[in-house]
């Protein structure tokens, strides 16, 4: 029987699409909420972009760039984006549903990924002891002298197809603006 974290991993994408449809239906955007929410979304996209340019999935433990501040910058970026979309939606139920999804789906996935990283990379224990799981530490875990800050790799960014986050965000923001224009109250 598959573990809950494996089930959560498989459900993450289909539930995301279902949530997006419900989000659009129940959202009550206005211009100020969209503007404020967009600020959070842009910050989240930036965090995700930087993280994707530093990670070599399953080949090397990422400890540089944003990974020197948090073990999960991709999830941190996604949380920032989610906060932006929640603000833009102006619906408390959407916020509560997003929190429930985070705890029911994303936390188990994070724990499963940590379990894998512990088994795949012996240095993970020391890294995890110094770098927080989600919310960033104020200073870098690594420095330039110990090989901590390599350059951002555009090749990795494109290989991980992180541009899809930008496209998806633009699509959802456009849909919110269209809803605002067509269904003014």
């Amino acid at each position: 029987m598959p573990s809950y974290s494996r089930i959560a991993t498989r459900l993450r994408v289909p539930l995301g699409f279902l949530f997006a449809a419900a989000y659009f239906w129940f959202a009550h955007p206005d211009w100020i909420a969209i503007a404020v929410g967009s600020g959070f979304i842009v910050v989240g996209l930036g965090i995700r972009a930087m993280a994707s340019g530093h990670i070599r999935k399953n080949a090397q433990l990422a400890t540089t760039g944003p990974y020197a501040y948090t073990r999960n910058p991709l999830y941190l970026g996604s949380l920032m984006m989610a906060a932006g979309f929640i603000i833009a939606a102006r619906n408390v139920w959407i916020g509560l549903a997003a929190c429930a999804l985070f705890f029911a789906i994303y936390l188990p996935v994070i724990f499963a990924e940590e379990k894998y990283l512990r088994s795949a990379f012996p240095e993970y224990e020391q890294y995890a002891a110094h770098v927080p799981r989600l919310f960033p530490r104020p200073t870098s875990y690594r420095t330039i002298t110990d090989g901590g800050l390599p350059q951002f790799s555009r090749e990795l960014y494109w290989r991980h197809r992180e541009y899809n986050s930008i496209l998806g965000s633009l699509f959802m923001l456009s849909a919110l603006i269209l809803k605002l224009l067509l269904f003014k109250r």
Side-chain angles (χ1 to χ4, degrees):
M1 181 160 179
S3 69
Y4 180 75
S5 60
R6 185 169 288 209
I7 293 168
T9 300
R10 288 186 182 142
L11 289 176
R12 183 172 47 175
V13 173
L15 282 176
F17 283 114
L18 183 63
F19 182 80
Y23 170 88
F24 180 71
W25 183 262
F26 291 108
H28 302 293
D30 68 17
W31 292 112
I32 293 172
I34 289 173
V36 172
S38 292
F40 282 84
I41 294 164
V42 167
V43 169
L45 287 168
I47 293 169
R48 287 189 58 88
M50 288 302 296
S52 71
H54 283 270
I55 188 170
R56 288 166 173 77
K57 294 179 180 179
N58 302 321
Q60 179 182 7
L61 180 64
T63 61
T64 61
Y67 291 91
Y69 298 90
T70 173
R71 296 192 314 254
N72 292 287
L74 289 166
Y75 291 119
L76 176 61
S78 293
L79 279 174
M80 291 295 294
M81 292 170 60
F85 279 109
I86 291 166
I87 291 167
R90 294 181 350 125
N91 184 318
V92 70
W93 297 109
I94 289 173
L96 292 173
C99 287
L101 274 176
F102 176 75
F103 286 106
I105 300 296
Y106 285 95
L107 273 184
V109 170
I110 289 170
F111 294 146
E113 288 175 0
E114 287 180 351
K115 184 178 178 182
Y116 164 75
L117 291 170
R118 277 188 176 79
S119 68
F121 302 104
E123 65 272 27
Y124 184 78
E125 282 301 326
Q126 180 182 356
Y127 169 69
H130 292 92
V131 178
R133 176 175 286 129
L134 194 59
F135 297 105
R137 57 183 277 147
T139 59
S140 175
Y141 166 63
R142 313 257 338 240
T143 64
I144 293 173
T145 57
D146 66 1
L149 298 172
Q151 294 291 336
F152 170 84
S153 168
R154 274 185 257 153
E155 177 188 330
L156 286 173
Y157 173 86
W158 288 104
R159 186 182 323 149
H160 297 312
R161 294 178 288 193
E162 191 56 39
Y163 54 84
N164 286 325
S165 294
I166 295 170
L167 296 174
S169 296
L170 288 173
F171 175 79
M172 286 303 292
L173 285 171
S174 298
L176 285 177
I177 290 169
L178 188 62
K179 182 174 185 176
L180 178 62
L181 292 173
L182 294 177
F183 302 105
K184 283 187 177 181
R185 289 186 238 157

